[in-house]
């Protein structure tokens, strides 16, 4: 089995999470077509560490090469749809500690879908025994900061000049949430 096949297999084996409006399941390369409009959109990709994707084939390949097995990614689908509208990724950093990241298509923004999806994944992580979840976000990414704070994350640090991205050298804010603080 290649590392690409293993990453796809691991994502397909993720537990399916169902909320009031959403179904979250392992993201696959087949989700690239639905998510390409978002991941090629300079506005949506502003705060990512890489530039927008220019080619759907490149995105499909990227979706097949999850970050060396330590990352798990759930595709976000509205329950009545078969098309991904975003995703939530979780990277295991050390025993009991995970980093979380997320992206939503433009049409999914502003409806509470991001909060619902991220909360569901956080609940899953804490149910699995994680003690801490953190997020790394750009200080100018007001939407992400508001989402994290609404879920109970606390600002823990400001790293200056942390990332060299497609928009230049950027600072990073670290937000953290402990299992004991989670109110689901």
């Amino acid at each position: 089995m290649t590392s690409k096949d293993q990453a796809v297999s691991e994502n397909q084996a993720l537990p399916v999470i169902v909320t009031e409006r959403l179904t979250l399941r392992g993201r696959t390369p087949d989700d690239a077509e639905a998510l390409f409009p978002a991941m090629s959109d300079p506005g949506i990709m502003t705060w990512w560490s890489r530039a927008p994707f220019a080619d759907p084939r490149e995105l499909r390949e990227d979706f097949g090469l999850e970050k060396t097995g330590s990352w798990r990614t759930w595709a976000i689908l509205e329950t009545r749809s078969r098309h991904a509208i975003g995703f939530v990724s979780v990277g295991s950093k050390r025993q009991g500690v995970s980093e979380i990241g997320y992206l939503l298509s433009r049409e999914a923004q502003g409806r509470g879908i991001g909060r619902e999806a991220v909360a569901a994944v956080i609940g899953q992580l804490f149910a699995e025994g994680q003690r801490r979840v953190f997020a790394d976000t750009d200080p100018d990414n007001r939407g992400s900061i508001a989402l994290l704070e609404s879920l109970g994350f606390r600002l823990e640090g400001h790293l200056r000049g942390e990332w060299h991205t497609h928009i230049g050298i950027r600072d990073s804010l670290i937000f953290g949430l402990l299992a004991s603080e989670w109110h689901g």
Side-chain angles (χ1 to χ4, degrees):
M1 179 181 294
T2 68
S3 62
K4 176 182 173 184
D5 293 335
Q6 183 177 354
V8 170
S9 176
E10 287 173 4
N11 268 344
Q12 289 173 339
L14 287 176
V16 173
I17 304 171
V18 178
T19 69
E20 184 177 326
R21 299 180 293 169
L22 307 173
T23 300
L24 289 85
R25 53 129 176 97
R27 188 182 71 185
T28 70
D30 292 337
D31 294 319
E33 183 178 330
L35 291 172
F36 180 72
M39 297 194 75
S40 63
D41 181 324
I44 292 175
M45 293 295 286
T46 299
W47 309 120
W48 282 81
S49 56
R50 66 150 289 141
F53 284 85
D55 183 331
R57 289 179 304 224
E58 179 190 16
L59 181 59
R60 184 179 179 81
E61 185 175 300
D62 186 72
F63 280 9
L65 298 172
E66 287 296 327
K67 301 173 184 166
T68 53
S70 67
W71 284 83
R72 304 180 291 163
T73 303
W74 282 267
I76 304 168
L77 295 86
E78 289 187 273
T79 301
R80 296 178 302 271
S81 174
R82 294 180 172 256
H83 302 289
I85 57 172
F87 59 84
V88 180
S89 290
V90 175
S92 178
K93 295 303 179 181
R94 62 198 137 280
Q95 176 110 15
V97 178
S98 291
E99 180 177 2
I100 195 163
Y102 37 84
L103 179 136
L104 280 178
S105 63
R106 195 165 299 283
E107 66 271 10
Q109 295 178 8
R111 298 189 294 148
I113 288 173
R115 187 181 194 290
E116 188 174 329
V118 173
V121 171
I122 290 169
Q124 176 70 32
L125 294 172
F126 288 146
E128 291 173 356
Q130 294 293 293
R131 71 174 187 277
R132 171 180 158 71
V133 176
F134 74 94
D136 175 342
T137 192
D138 189 287
D140 292 330
N141 188 348
R142 297 289 170 221
S144 187
I145 291 168
L147 185 147
L148 293 168
E149 290 176 340
S150 77
L151 291 169
F153 280 77
R154 294 183 189 176
L155 178 62
E156 297 178 336
H158 184 150
L159 307 176
R160 297 175 299 144
E162 176 69 1
W163 290 101
H164 183 239
T165 75
H166 61 288
I167 61 170
I169 303 295
R170 303 298 298 175
D171 289 1
S172 185
L173 297 180
I174 305 301
F175 285 85
L177 179 66
L178 302 177
S180 61
E181 299 167 336
W182 177 240
H183 300 293

